[in-house]
């Protein structure tokens, strides 16, 4: 991180009240700035299923390896081909347990999620296995080329 970037960080996040005057103080300031950025960063985990979407469990897995616990903030979903006849519903799991009380879904004939999901889990621990299931697809056309992203803050 350059000194110019550190000054920008200092404006956005109050780290200290005085400016560093020595190289040791500057190094300490830069370390504090980097920690502040990392501690408040928005992270994302994204998955993509090419072609027609089918129901299934643990379809894609990853690990929370960002060295921080993750507070779920939002989920985005998009399909290139809309489900027809029924809603496409997914579930995201933390070590096998759902993180939702109301799962994320794309309504029939839509290509974007409906924003009605509700998280029950407030934190995904560092090292957790994060996976997602497709619980339901369209009954006439299942939906195709699905992208799912989970966003969270460290």
């Amino acid at each position: 991180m350059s000194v110019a970037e550190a000054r920008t960080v200092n404006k956005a996040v109050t780290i200290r009240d005085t400016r560093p005057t020595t190289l040791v103080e500057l190094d300490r300031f830069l370390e504090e700035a980097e920690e502040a950025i990392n501690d408040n960063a928005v992270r994302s985990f994204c998955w993509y299923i090419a072609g027609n979407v089918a129901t299934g469990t643990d379809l894609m897995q990853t690990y929370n390896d960002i060295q921080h616990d993750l507070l779920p903030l939002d989920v985005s979903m998009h399909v290139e081909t809309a489900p027809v006849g029924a809603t496409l519903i997914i579930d995201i799991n933390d070590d096998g347990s759902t993180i939702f009380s109301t799962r994320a879904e794309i309504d029939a004939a839509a290509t974007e999620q409906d924003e009605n999901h509700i998280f029950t889990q407030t934190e995904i621990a560092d090292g957790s296995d994060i996976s997602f299931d497709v619980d339901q697809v369209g009954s006439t056309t299942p939906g195709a080329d699905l992208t799912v992203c989970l966003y969270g803050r460290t």
Side-chain angles (χ1 to χ4, degrees):
M1 177 181 295
S2 71
V3 174
E5 288 171 316
R7 286 188 187 123
T8 302
V9 169
N10 194 27
K11 291 178 185 175
V13 178
T14 303
I15 298 169
R16 59 173 61 212
D17 295 332
T18 60
R19 288 186 140 166
T21 56
T22 67
L23 287 177
V24 171
E25 287 179 350
L26 180 60
D27 282 344
R28 191 173 313 123
F29 170 78
L30 293 174
E31 287 174 11
E32 291 172 5
E34 187 173 347
E35 285 177 25
I37 290 168
N38 287 336
D39 288 343
N40 293 297
V42 173
R43 309 293 178 130
S44 63
F45 293 92
C46 295
W47 301 272
Y48 176 75
I49 296 177
N52 286 340
V53 181
T55 60
T57 59
D58 295 330
L59 296 176
M60 301 256 181
Q61 292 181 284
T62 190
Y63 292 93
N64 178 9
D65 60 357
I66 59 175
Q67 300 175 353
H68 292 278
D69 293 345
L70 186 75
L71 168 68
L73 297 175
D74 199 10
V75 170
S76 67
M77 292 174 44
H78 173 82
V79 288
E80 290 297 319
T81 303
V84 177
T87 300
L88 190 155
I89 302 172
I90 65 111
D91 194 5
I92 296 176
N93 302 297
D94 173 16
D95 288 332
S97 298
T98 185
I99 64 170
F100 296 112
S101 61
T102 302
R103 294 170 294 171
E105 58 186 44
I106 297 175
D107 293 330
T111 58
E112 301 289 330
Q113 69 166 344
D114 65 9
E115 301 289 339
N116 290 334
H117 59 275
I118 299 171
F119 293 107
T120 53
Q121 189 160 339
T122 58
E123 192 171 83
I124 297 173
D126 181 39
S128 290
D129 175 26
I130 305 169
S131 63
F132 88 93
D133 309 334
V134 175
D135 294 337
Q136 179 177 299
V137 297
S139 56
T140 306
T141 302
D145 301 316
L146 171 66
T147 302
V148 176
C149 291
L150 169 65
Y151 301 96
R153 184 172 303 284
T154 56

